[in-house]
């Protein structure tokens, strides 16, 4: 085994984990692009009502929709996937907090918490890409 092969074996997630991560990333990207961000960005009535319920203006609905859409796109770009997962993790923390404390359980708090766990898993699996973005050796 040459030094190059040794470096390749130790770098990044294994093949099965890599495939699992890409499948999960693709599914979550599709969900966030079409089922989560789009209703906010086009002003679907349920999204408007939801943001009115928390006392946020339209600007915040557009902001959250744009963040979710950017995260969905980032999940399917190899070098950005880890960073996108971190950003969406932070978004899910905000959603869980809002669901639990601002709207007093109007929406289930477990949905963003489950998504948070999935995004943390992706961020962990893509940590080498994130290190590379910040100029650190992976």
């Amino acid at each position: 085994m040459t030094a190059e092969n040794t470096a390749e074996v130790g770098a990044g997630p294994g093949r099965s984990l890599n495939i699992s991560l890409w499948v999960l990333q693709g599914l979550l990207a599709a969900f966030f692009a079409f089922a989560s961000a789009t209703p906010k960005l086009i002003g679907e009535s349920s999204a408007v009502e939801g943001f009115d319920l928390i006392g946020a203006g339209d600007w915040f609905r557009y902001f959250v929709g744009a963040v979710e859409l950017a995260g969905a796109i980032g999940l399917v770009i190899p070098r950005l996937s880890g960073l996108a997962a971190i950003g969406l993790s932070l978004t899910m923390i905000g959603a869980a907090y809002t669901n639990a404390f601002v709207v007093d359980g109007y929406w289930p708090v477990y949905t963003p918490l489950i998504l948070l766990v999935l995004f943390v898993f992706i961020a962990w699996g893509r940590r080498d890409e994130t290190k590379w973005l910040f100029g650190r050796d992976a």
Side-chain angles (χ1 to χ4, degrees), residues 24-38:
L24 182 60
Q25 288 168 226
L27 292 171
L28 287 172
F31 171 77
F32 267 82
F34 298 109
S36 192
T38 299

Side-chain angles (χ1 to χ4, degrees), residues 44-122:
E44 189 176 275
S45 62
S46 62
V48 172
E49 290 170 13
F51 279 83
D52 285 345
L53 184 64
I54 64 172
D58 285 339
W59 73 271
F60 191 62
R61 176 175 47 86
Y62 288 123
F63 174 74
V64 171
V67 166
E68 290 177 347
L69 183 59
I73 293 167
L75 282 175
V76 295
I77 298 173
R79 287 289 181 195
L80 297 179
S81 58
L83 191 60
I86 292 169
L88 288 168
S89 295
L90 296 173
T91 304
M92 291 304 99
I93 291 170
Y97 177 85
T98 301
N99 290 354
F101 301 110
V102 177
V103 295
D104 295 324
Y106 182 77
W107 286 300
V109 71
Y110 56 82
T111 302
L113 292 177
I114 291 168
L115 290 168
L116 171 64
V117 169
L118 296 174
F119 288 127
V120 168
F121 175 67
I122 292 169

